[in-house]
Amino acid sequence: MYVPTRMGCCVALAVAMALALPAVAQPPEFLSTAQVAPALIRTDSISGAYEVVHWGEAGLIFVASVPSFDKGSAGFIQVLDAATLAPIRQIQLPRRPFALALDRGTGRLYAGNTLDGSLTVIDARGGQVIDTIQLGQPEDEGVEHTRMIALDEARGLAFVTSPGRQGVVWIVDTRAGRLLHRIEGGLWTAGAAYDPAGRFYASGGGTEEISVIDASGQRIGALSTGDTTGTGEDDSRHFFVNLAIDTVGQRLFAADAETGTLHVFDIASGRSVAQVPTGPGTLDVAYNPARGEIYVSWRGVTRDEKAGTGGLTVIDAGDYSVKQRLSLPAHPNSLEVSADGRTLFVTVKAPHDKDHPDYRAGGLDSVLRLDLARLAAAN
């Protein structure tokens, strides 16, 4: 995924967000390289890696790849063996993909072309481009950007967020390949999570950080910390950049890029019931019901400190205690839990700031495969 700033539309990943890590009790020590090694397979082979999705039935993972931000340059989907991370094929796209979502029933892969404000529909087995669906409307010198995609496979719907100052959510009929609804409202609408019961959650900043939208396109509620009282952009106390959902326990997990914290919301009451400090540059969050764990990636940089490196925080989903911390230089990005809950896939960005001590011209991004049972045994 790309990282929008608080101002919404910037996609330059080297620009870090303003973050502050609150004072907390001493967290667990980082696992050593030797401790993590038995659980880890890593490939440093992707140019411009962003989101990753896993297709267990086919034994594949798909990685969005954007080697260049130059206008008119191509994008790619890198297809890797899910067990070994060995490359299988490369799919070239006419537009650059950042976000990915897979409809496992139809075998269709949806790529969010952030800078073009559109979706590309791809046959996941054969690699052919089936369709391109334009969502973003012209604004300033470009178009409204897309960000995250969440699918309702049963209803044939795709929910897509747009992180502008005026937040937008699009609902797409994936069977007909057409836009059904455009819902405006919210600030920096970035994160996305979907409950198959028919509720979509879109997160960002402002006084009501999380909007609740039903499958018919109606905004039916909101979840809020209550911390932000002013209506201006600079008043926002939080930026929930990504979401994950516990559909059984009816909880939302929100990655707060503004404070480096994971917020846990009880959906029924709409209240934030727990806050777990994770790390500076908190970005993605994934929930694993099979293991009762939450995973949070953090990039390790702030606006004032651009030379840091990030990691992964493993949280107990029962009592919200931090179980493990892993250092994953340089900048962990997107997370994907396998359907059986045994494996976590992570994309890791190489530094793009030339002042970063680990910067190397032409450096490639990474994909990691973590065996979660072996990782748990590393303590």
Side-chain angles (χ1 to χ4, degrees):
M1 72 192 65
Y2 82 96
V3 185
T5 67
R6 289 188 55 184
M7 299 309 291
C9 293
C10 175
V11 296
L13 290 169
V15 179
M17 296 166 287
L19 307 163
L21 190 62
V24 292
Q26 184 66 30
E29 295 292 331
F30 285 98
L31 295 177
S32 68
T33 302
Q35 287 175 307
V36 176
L40 178 66
I41 298 175
R42 176 173 184 144
T43 177
D44 304 329
S45 60
I46 309 294
S47 180
Y50 290 91
E51 282 213 314
V52 55
V53 296
H54 175 234
W55 193 2
E57 179 187 46
L60 302 174
I61 62 169
F62 302 91
V63 183
S65 170
V66 180
S68 172
F69 276 76
D70 292 340
K71 188 174 181 179
S73 59
F76 302 88
I77 304 293
Q78 307 294 342
V79 186
L80 310 181
D81 184 286
T84 66
L85 302 186
I88 293 177
R89 64 178 177 271
Q90 175 177 268
I91 303 168
Q92 181 170 303
L93 303 180
R95 298 186 177 188
R96 290 159 290 180
F98 292 83
L100 295 177
L102 177 64
D103 185 329
R104 292 161 178 83
T106 63
R108 289 188 171 188
L109 182 66
Y110 294 85
N113 310 308
T114 294
L115 304 178
D116 299 288
S118 64
L119 293 182
T120 297
V121 187
I122 304 152
D123 181 285
R125 290 192 183 276
Q128 299 90 344
V129 173
I130 298 170
D131 195 8
T132 299
I133 305 169
Q134 185 64 41
L135 302 175
Q137 298 302 307
E139 63 171 11
D140 300 328
E141 297 180 359
V143 296
E144 296 167 319
H145 292 163
T146 60
R147 190 170 185 269
M148 300 299 292
I149 309 164
L151 297 179
D152 180 338
E153 297 183 26
R155 293 179 176 86
L157 300 175
F159 297 80
V160 185
T161 60
S162 178
R165 293 175 178 87
Q166 174 64 50
V168 176
V169 171
W170 296 286
I171 303 180
V172 176
D173 181 336
T174 59
R175 294 165 182 161
R178 65 184 181 91
L179 176 64
L180 290 176
H181 305 288
R182 174 190 170 99
I183 304 101
E184 297 182 353
L187 180 67
W188 316 315
T189 304
Y194 188 70
D195 186 335
R199 292 183 299 275
F200 173 71
Y201 300 91
S203 66
T207 56
E208 294 181 334
E209 296 96 346
I210 303 176
S211 297
V212 187
I213 298 168
D214 68 15
S216 70
Q218 299 299 310
R219 190 177 187 274
I220 58 174
L223 288 75
S224 174
T225 62
D227 295 341
T228 297
T229 55
T231 57
E233 294 178 15
D234 293 338
D235 296 320
S236 190
R237 298 283 300 277
H238 303 283
F239 178 28
F240 295 148
V241 65
N242 281 304
L243 292 175
I245 187 169
D246 169 12
T247 57
V248 174
Q250 286 294 283
R251 296 177 293 175
L252 278 177
F253 307 108
D256 186 1
E258 186 66 17
T259 65
T261 304
L262 175 75
H263 282 250
V264 182
F265 284 86
D266 172 70
I267 291 174
S269 67
R271 294 187 300 109
S272 175
V273 297
Q275 300 87 42
V276 184
T278 48
T282 291
L283 179 57
D284 203 8
V285 56
Y287 172 58
N288 186 346
R291 296 188 57 84
E293 293 177 337
I294 309 158
Y295 312 104
V296 179
S297 64
W298 45 279
R299 294 173 57 81
V301 293
T302 67
R303 183 170 297 170
D304 297 326
E305 177 51 66
K306 299 181 180 180
T309 61
L312 177 77
T313 301
V314 181
I315 300 167
D316 188 303
D319 62 11
Y320 308 121
S321 61
V322 176
K323 298 172 68 173
Q324 292 176 314
R325 293 196 303 161
L326 289 70
S327 177
L328 300 177
H331 305 307
N333 202 71
S334 298
L335 305 173
E336 170 81 342
V337 177
S338 63
D340 60 13
R342 296 178 180 178
T343 309
L344 178 68
F345 299 95
V346 187
T347 58
V348 179
K349 305 289 294 178
H352 294 285
D353 187 334
K354 293 184 179 180
D355 294 330
H356 194 287
D358 295 328
Y359 171 81
R360 299 292 183 273
L364 296 175
D365 296 338
S366 308
V367 180
L368 278 59
R369 182 189 191 278
L370 285 162
D371 182 309
L372 293 171
R374 291 185 176 181
L375 183 65
N379 285 340

